[in-house]
Amino acid sequence: MEGNNRNKKETPREIKSLISDLANKDGLIRMNARQKLVEKGSSSIDYLAELLDSPKDIQRWEAVKALGQIGDPVAIPLLINALEDDDSDVRWLAAEGLIQFGTDSLRPILGELMDRYHSVFLREGAHHVIHNLGLARIKNRIDPLLAALKDEEMIDEIPLLSENILKSLEE
């Protein structure tokens, strides 16, 4: 029994150590730390989420990559927010991570587009994700949204198009 309590206390310490390794200049150390954090799964998500505000691009990159690889839907809003990161590589990884969630990421993305459709980075990331989800069943509703996400003159249509897709998903 006592051993179990010690493991619980050591786990956050171990995760914090791995988190600090994500800032290491050595790419192999970063990769190994990220893989161990991914293996820890959901227990590392909160720690990775804290890195999303890091001033270091590499830490944000590693955190986003790990969040996508963990595959816990709790990470979806974090990845959606990372679509607006200043670093294009971080944004790309966030989009790729969201694609890995499949259609589970669609509703949250559409919801964000309804509110934050003026964000160029969000629109670009959402376009990449939605385009790659393979939504043939609702292609007739997806195509106009994809067009609006790419055309600055159509951005005011994004909230309504997103809402229509959400409604069609409930049918």
Side-chain angles (χ1 to χ4, degrees):
M1 188 90 150
E2 202 172 306
N4 286 342
N5 287 339
R6 190 164 14 152
N7 286 341
K8 286 182 182 178
K9 289 179 183 176
E10 288 175 359
T11 300
R13 191 175 313 152
E14 183 182 353
I15 291 174
K16 287 178 183 178
S17 175
L18 293 168
I19 290 290
S20 69
D21 284 348
L22 294 181
N24 197 294
K25 291 181 182 181
D26 185 329
L28 190 56
I29 291 172
R30 287 193 316 271
M31 183 182 73
N32 288 331
R34 179 176 18 92
Q35 288 174 340
K36 287 177 183 173
L37 288 163
V38 169
E39 288 170 12
K40 294 198 175 297
S42 301
S43 61
S44 59
I45 289 177
D46 289 341
Y47 298 93
L48 291 164
E50 291 176 18
L51 288 182
L52 297 178
D53 292 325
S54 171
K56 296 182 180 180
D57 294 349
I58 195 65
Q59 281 186 306
R60 296 191 316 275
W61 188 95
E62 292 288 356
V64 167
K65 179 120 176 139
L67 288 168
Q69 291 175 332
I70 289 171
D72 187 319
V74 170
I76 291 173
L78 299 170
L79 292 171
I80 290 172
N81 286 335
L83 290 175
E84 295 186 278
D85 193 275
D86 291 335
D87 184 89
S88 62
D89 292 335
V90 173
R91 293 192 306 269
W92 178 261
L93 274 177
E96 290 296 307
L98 288 164
I99 291 167
Q100 296 305 308
F101 283 99
T103 56
D104 289 346
S105 64
L106 184 59
R107 281 184 175 86
I109 289 172
L110 293 170
E112 289 301 318
L113 283 172
M114 290 171 64
D115 295 332
R116 300 179 6 216
Y117 63 95
H118 285 288
S119 167
V120 173
F121 290 159
L122 180 63
R123 290 195 317 265
E124 287 174 354
H127 184 280
H128 180 71
V129 173
I130 294 168
H131 175 76
N132 285 285
L133 287 179
L135 301 165
R137 180 176 68 92
I138 54 172
K139 185 175 178 9
N140 63 328
R141 290 206 169 100
I142 292 293
D143 285 347
L145 175 62
L146 291 174
L149 290 170
K150 285 292 194 184
D151 186 342
E152 189 72 31
E153 293 180 17
M154 295 176 63
I155 65 169
D156 289 331
E157 296 177 36
I158 293 172
L160 182 58
L161 292 167
S162 297
E163 184 179 6
N164 288 338
I165 294 169
L166 283 169
K167 285 179 184 175
S168 73
L169 293 174
E170 294 170 7
E171 292 173 356

